[in-house]
Amino acid sequence: MKSKWLSIVEKLDYAFQPIIHSHSGKIFAVEALLRNAEKISKIDDIQSIFDLAFKDDYLYQADLLLRDKAIKKFSEINIENLQLFYNLDNRIIHTKNYSKGNTKKILSKYSLNKNIICYELSEKGTLKEQDALIEMIKTYKSSDFCIAIDDFGIGVSGLKLLYFSQANIIKIDRFFISNINTDSKKKLFCSSIINMAHTMGMKVVAEGVETLKEFYTCKNIGADFIQGYFVQKPTVNVDEIKPIYKEILKYIIQEKRTNEILPIADEYIQYIVPFNINSSLHSLFLYFKEHSNNHFAPVIDDYENLVGVIYEVDIKKISYSQYGLSLAQNKSYSSQINQYLKHAMSIEASWGIDKTLEIFNHDPNSSGIFITKANKYSGFIDLRSLLQLSHKRNLEIAENQNPLTKLPGNKQIELFIYKSLKNREKFISHILYFDFDNFKPFNDFYGFRQGDRAILLFAELLQKKYPNDTFIAHIGGDDFFIGIKNSTIEDVYALTKETLDEFRESAKNLYNTVDKQNGFFCGKDRFGEERTFKLLSCSCAIIEISSNSKKSNFDYTLNIMKKYSKNLERPICASF
């Protein structure tokens, strides 16, 4: 059997596909992808190789041969601080020959650090395979390996897996990335997953990015890493792997999106000297002695990646004991330093103030948040600074939001329009102006409290219907504003029509039974004359801002559109 599989593995090769940082174009990792399956008799595809190995009861041994082959070829890439994403078959955990420690032996063989490897475990498969997946994650996490969940979103366990897995990285499946720039449902799904993953301390890879618009959308909804043909197709030639993808960097610079992500000022970030995970326990004692004001140590690996935190209180029992120093100098005991390592709440600097505060609010008992830049340790924001930052941000929000709906007000609206017009050569924007129909007589007849309920109903509906990255604002009274970037007019129109229809139906519940049944109510018009009015509805004017738009025509076009929209039961669209 060994001879058979040595022959099979000999015929196979590995191609590497880069995974890059979405905000810099720098390479983060490469994924190892098997090639040459067609050279093996009676094999149709890559999956068939693993199915055959499983049938031969040789799955784990075959995987070790492939693992050695992938790691050996990876060692030929001359790029520092690079990770290898290696795919594992979930069934390995149930093979009788499975044992721990083999990866470390292979890495040692090629003089590679343990931190370079990240195991990809696929979410797709049957319920039985999901159990194997969770067991695999626990097993490899217990050995301190980086874990990525592949094909996220198409498996049967979904959010349950996200909750229980404690993976380091999730990779959103290509299905959800394809045409994400024009599919509002995909954008909503992915942005929600990214937000949840970030809150739980996980990073996100957008898989299968093939176009510039997909790249921009994934980057701007918060994906940390990008992988796909848009960056580079898988290559068997390691010399084609680059430390930075300058073409991607050019696109990032060209876009220069001044979106609503507010950077964290340096004044709130303090640099706490980190401790290397590969140092001795004795060195850790000396660290706390030298840095006597530190009650904890941020822990990094040899590549300066943040891997966790060690609290002084957890080692005091040993450090103050009679034999503590002797134990710490003992190599066999010092190797157990991982037992003191705790999870570190961290955020990427590029996530900005609002997401930092959001993540902190999920664990208010934390003493602070660590900051990373492209995964590398950068600093720490303590509790006092977070509270100051939160207070300052709340004041800023309160000054610029509508007091009833708590939505952004006219200052942010003006800024959005300004940015959209300024960047019209780089991306398309859509501006939506909403105005209730027959709101004044309704407000006069039913009272301002019921009028406020109508306004709040509409505000909540907008936030429910439109994707998370939509700019939703309240001009005042019954006038609302929405700004959308990088969507098609067809998608914007369809979603808006659906929203207006839903509001028309929901607003009926604000009327008494008789008026609701009649479909109208009696009230006074602006001249004090008694007449009938239709039930509440809403008009919408949609304006597209593109490279063909002229700034001087904006105000005129908007006024005309607002006027004509009042006579229609559906949105009205125009470009200028």
Side-chain angles (χ1 to χ4, degrees):
M1 188 64 68
K2 182 177 180 181
S3 176
K4 170 186 175 180
W5 278 96
L6 281 171
S7 176
I8 289 174
V9 171
E10 180 66 27
K11 295 174 184 176
L12 297 170
D13 194 6
Y14 272 102
F16 293 121
Q17 186 173 34
I19 300 170
I20 65 166
H21 291 279
S22 61
H23 287 271
S24 68
K26 292 180 180 178
I27 195 165
F28 164 67
V30 290
E31 180 180 356
L33 300 164
L34 270 176
R35 291 293 183 263
N36 299 343
E38 69 280 359
K39 293 184 178 181
I40 302 170
S41 176
K42 298 180 181 180
I43 291 294
D44 299 322
D45 52 30
I46 298 299
Q47 184 57 45
S48 299
I49 296 173
F50 294 97
D51 291 341
L52 176 61
F54 186 73
K55 182 181 177 182
D56 287 348
D57 197 22
Y58 205 75
L59 181 60
Y60 185 59
Q61 296 93 321
D63 180 84
L64 288 178
L65 293 173
L66 290 168
R67 207 177 298 188
D68 187 289
K69 192 179 189 80
I71 291 172
K72 178 183 179 182
K73 188 166 185 177
F74 173 82
S75 68
E76 298 169 6
I77 304 176
N78 189 26
I79 297 176
E80 290 186 358
N81 196 17
L82 188 67
Q83 277 194 291
L84 170 65
F85 277 51
Y86 180 83
N87 292 276
L88 286 177
D89 190 304
N90 297 344
R91 296 171 292 184
I92 283 175
I93 199 73
H94 295 307
T95 59
K96 62 185 180 183
N97 296 308
Y98 175 80
S99 61
K100 290 186 176 182
N102 292 297
T103 303
K104 292 181 181 178
K105 293 176 184 175
I106 298 172
L107 291 169
S108 177
K109 179 179 172 182
Y110 298 106
S111 302
L112 292 173
N113 191 294
K114 173 185 172 183
N115 300 317
I116 66 99
I117 197 159
C118 181
Y119 284 117
E120 281 198 38
L121 300 165
S122 178
E123 192 208 352
K124 63 185 177 184
T126 65
L127 283 169
K128 183 178 179 181
E129 288 170 346
Q130 296 303 310
D131 293 337
L133 171 58
I134 292 173
E135 193 174 343
M136 286 276 280
I137 291 173
K138 289 180 180 177
T139 299
Y140 280 91
K141 281 286 285 184
S142 67
S143 298
D144 300 313
F145 283 108
C146 174
I147 299 294
I149 301 175
D150 196 13
D151 307 310
F152 188 85
I154 64 170
V156 296
S157 57
L159 296 178
K160 182 180 177 182
L161 180 63
L162 182 65
Y163 180 83
F164 285 110
S165 70
Q166 294 184 326
N168 304 92
I169 295 168
I170 64 169
K171 300 181 74 177
I172 299 179
D173 187 73
R174 165 67 187 160
F175 169 81
F176 297 103
I177 302 302
S178 177
N179 299 315
I180 188 174
N181 54 295
T182 61
D183 191 322
S184 58
K185 287 191 291 185
K186 287 183 177 180
K187 194 186 299 182
L188 175 61
F189 176 87
C190 291
S191 61
S192 298
I193 291 298
I194 290 168
N195 285 334
M196 281 190 286
H198 285 169
T199 300
M200 299 174 74
M202 302 177 192
K203 300 294 176 63
V204 180
V205 178
E207 248 186 328
V209 174
E210 294 187 357
T211 69
L212 177 60
K213 289 184 177 180
E214 288 175 357
F215 168 73
Y216 278 152
T217 303
C218 291
K219 179 177 77 71
N220 293 322
I221 63 173
D224 303 285
F225 308 109
I226 303 292
Q227 179 180 4
Y229 285 4
F230 180 70
V231 178
Q232 186 176 16
K233 292 183 178 181
T235 175
V236 296
N237 184 356
V238 295
D239 292 333
E240 293 179 357
I241 302 296
K242 307 170 188 175
I244 185 168
Y245 286 78
K246 294 181 180 178
E247 192 70 14
I248 303 297
L249 179 59
K250 183 183 76 174
Y251 290 128
I252 294 170
I253 294 171
Q254 282 178 351
E255 187 195 27
K256 289 182 180 177
R257 282 182 64 111
T258 51
N259 54 23
E260 286 66 47
I261 295 178
L262 301 172
I264 303 168
D266 291 339
E267 64 187 273
Y268 295 102
I269 303 173
Q270 57 178 306
Y271 185 79
I272 298 175
V273 176
F275 180 78
N276 191 293
I277 188 63
N278 297 312
S279 301
S280 67
L281 185 58
H282 182 249
S283 298
L284 185 60
F285 289 170
L286 295 178
Y287 172 92
F288 283 116
K289 185 176 181 181
E290 182 180 347
H291 304 90
S292 56
N293 292 327
N294 292 3
H295 302 301
F296 59 83
V299 183
I300 60 172
D301 61 21
D302 291 338
Y303 300 111
E304 299 182 15
N305 296 314
L306 180 69
V307 294
V309 59
I310 293 178
Y311 294 94
E312 184 183 21
V313 67
D314 292 336
I315 66 164
K316 273 187 176 180
K317 187 175 180 180
I318 297 175
S319 62
Y320 292 157
S321 69
Q322 183 178 358
Y323 305 106
L325 188 60
S326 299
L327 284 171
Q329 291 173 328
N330 184 298
K331 288 186 178 180
S332 62
Y333 194 86
S334 294
S335 64
Q336 300 178 26
I337 197 169
N338 278 335
Q339 67 181 300
Y340 302 107
L341 189 67
K342 300 286 180 64
H343 170 71
M345 183 185 287
S346 66
I347 61 106
E348 274 285 314
S350 61
W351 295 356
I353 291 174
D354 291 332
K355 183 165 282 190
T356 301
L357 294 173
E358 178 187 345
I359 290 173
F360 171 71
N361 287 334
H362 280 80
D363 188 6
N365 295 320
S366 172
S367 58
I369 294 181
F370 291 97
I371 306 294
T372 59
K373 291 182 179 179
N375 261 27
K376 294 180 181 295
Y377 169 72
S378 178
F380 180 74
I381 307 180
D382 62 22
L383 179 60
R384 181 172 172 272
S385 295
L386 279 166
L387 292 174
Q388 289 178 343
L389 195 59
S390 178
H391 179 67
K392 181 182 177 184
R393 185 70 182 123
N394 286 336
L395 287 176
E396 291 173 353
I397 293 170
E399 288 175 0
N400 297 296
Q401 70 180 10
N402 185 279
L404 176 61
T405 60
K406 309 302 181 187
L407 290 173
N410 292 318
K411 185 176 180 180
Q412 291 99 317
I413 292 172
E414 291 172 4
L415 184 61
F416 184 93
I417 294 172
Y418 168 77
K419 290 177 181 177
S420 298
L421 290 168
K422 181 181 178 181
N423 296 296
R424 64 190 184 279
E425 299 288 341
K426 299 169 186 173
F427 54 83
I428 293 175
S429 300
H430 291 95
I431 286 174
L432 287 66
Y433 185 97
F434 296 90
D435 185 14
F436 287 8
D437 302 317
N438 303 315
F439 179 72
K440 186 180 185 305
F442 168 81
N443 196 51
D444 291 342
F445 184 81
Y446 279 93
F448 73 91
R449 291 188 185 280
Q450 201 71 337
D452 285 351
R453 289 191 183 98
I455 290 170
L456 289 171
L457 172 69
F458 190 69
E460 290 169 4
L461 183 62
L462 293 180
Q463 292 172 88
K464 181 185 80 171
K465 299 293 288 186
Y466 288 86
N468 284 353
D469 60 340
T470 303
F471 174 67
I472 302 173
H474 188 180
I475 298 169
D478 59 319
D479 293 356
F480 287 81
F481 178 98
I482 277 185
I484 302 175
K485 296 179 181 178
N486 292 319
S487 285
T488 66
I489 188 65
E490 292 82 7
D491 279 347
V492 173
Y493 180 88
L495 183 57
T496 303
K497 185 178 184 304
E498 184 181 308
T499 303
L500 297 186
D501 290 343
E502 187 169 331
F503 175 68
R504 187 181 294 110
E505 287 302 310
S506 300
K508 291 178 181 178
N509 296 317
L510 298 170
Y511 293 85
N512 62 41
T513 304
V514 174
D515 290 345
K516 184 177 178 181
Q517 289 175 346
N518 290 335
F520 63 85
F521 71 101
C522 296
K524 292 183 179 180
D525 62 17
R526 69 180 66 183
F527 304 108
E529 298 293 329
E530 192 81 23
R531 69 183 184 89
T532 60
F533 295 92
K534 292 181 179 179
L535 302 188
L536 273 179
S537 60
C538 186
S539 303
C540 180
I542 304 173
I543 299 179
E544 181 173 275
I545 300 177
S546 66
S547 57
N548 298 320
S549 301
K550 293 183 179 179
K551 289 184 181 180
S552 57
N553 292 342
F554 176 75
D555 290 336
Y556 173 78
T557 304
L558 179 59
N559 289 331
I560 292 294
M561 295 288 288
K562 284 162 56 179
K563 178 181 177 182
Y564 279 98
S565 70
K566 299 297 291 181
N567 300 315
L568 299 173
E569 292 188 355
R570 62 184 186 278
I572 183 171
C573 309
S575 58
F576 65 96

